[in-house]
Amino acid sequence: CPTPSSLRTGNGTRICAQLYADDSPYYEQCCGGAALVVPPGSDVPYMPVGWGATVSSLVVATRCELTVWSRAGKKGKSRRFTA
């Protein structure tokens, strides 16, 4: 997985979080498959098509916080992730 301080796009723009579709019990094989980029200041109450119940690994950048909910529309239980 990338380090929290290294999360940037190809052109150097800062990323707040990156979510991955594939996971593994072995750390060096985590953060694989398709990736969903979360830019700073994003407020997305619904996951993009094809991402519901798909995320298995994530990395949150330093000075960022990612809050997720168990149900669509920011409903249900929430959990916060930081670097």
Side-chain angles (χ1 to χ4, degrees), residues 10-60:
N11 67 5
T13 305
R14 188 167 178 260
I15 296 172
C16 261
Q18 195 153 318
L19 290 63
Y20 298 90
D22 295 344
D23 191 15
S24 171
Y26 302 103
Y27 182 77
E28 54 279 346
Q29 295 174 11
C30 288
C31 301
L36 179 63
V37 172
V38 180
S42 294
D43 184 11
V44 183
Y46 298 94
M47 290 296 284
V49 173
W51 278 94
T54 301
V55 176
S56 60
S57 301
L58 62 90
V59 178
V60 178

